[in-house]
Amino acid sequence: MPEGPIATIIREKLTAGLAPERLDIEDDSWRHAGHHHEGGMDARPGGESHFNLVVVSAAFEGQGRVQRQRAINGLLRDELAGPVHALSIKALTPSEAEAA
């Protein structure tokens, strides 16, 4: 299944900012369809509101989990302020990915 426009933007920004060896982007919005929160519906009708990310990058060497997540959230600031409601992030160094 081809990526939607939001997933494509996520891929482009993370690739430019982190040069990942592996980047998996899964649109998980369908699992949140019909869920409500204080501000309205969680999932957008067309999807692309909830994503699971696996990012393997040497850029994460020497960084803790929170630093890695902040780096990803910083690169995707505009998307998180708009169409993306939630990200599940698994950020690993290449050696951590090999051991997993």
Side-chain angles (χ1 to χ4, degrees):
M1 185 171 167
E3 288 183 350
I6 304 300
T8 299
I9 290 168
I10 290 171
R11 180 171 303 282
E12 290 170 354
K13 287 187 173 187
L14 294 180
T15 298
L18 299 170
E21 292 183 11
R22 175 179 164 203
L23 177 56
D24 299 337
I25 302 171
E26 175 191 12
D27 184 352
D28 195 37
S29 303
W30 66 273
R31 290 187 185 173
H32 304 274
H35 294 185
H36 293 274
H37 65 91
E38 192 173 311
M41 297 290 283
D42 272 354
R44 296 175 349 137
E48 293 203 290
S49 60
H50 294 67
F51 290 93
N52 297 323
L53 304 178
V54 176
V55 185
V56 178
S57 175
F60 297 138
E61 294 289 347
Q63 294 184 351
R65 182 182 59 84
V66 172
Q67 287 176 297
R68 296 172 189 193
Q69 291 186 351
R70 285 182 180 158
I72 291 170
N73 288 340
L75 290 168
L76 302 177
R77 182 177 297 112
D78 292 342
E79 289 68 35
L80 289 167
V84 176
H85 180 75
L87 290 177
S88 170
I89 299 170
K90 187 172 186 178
L92 304 168
T93 64
S95 60
E96 291 169 340
E98 286 178 16

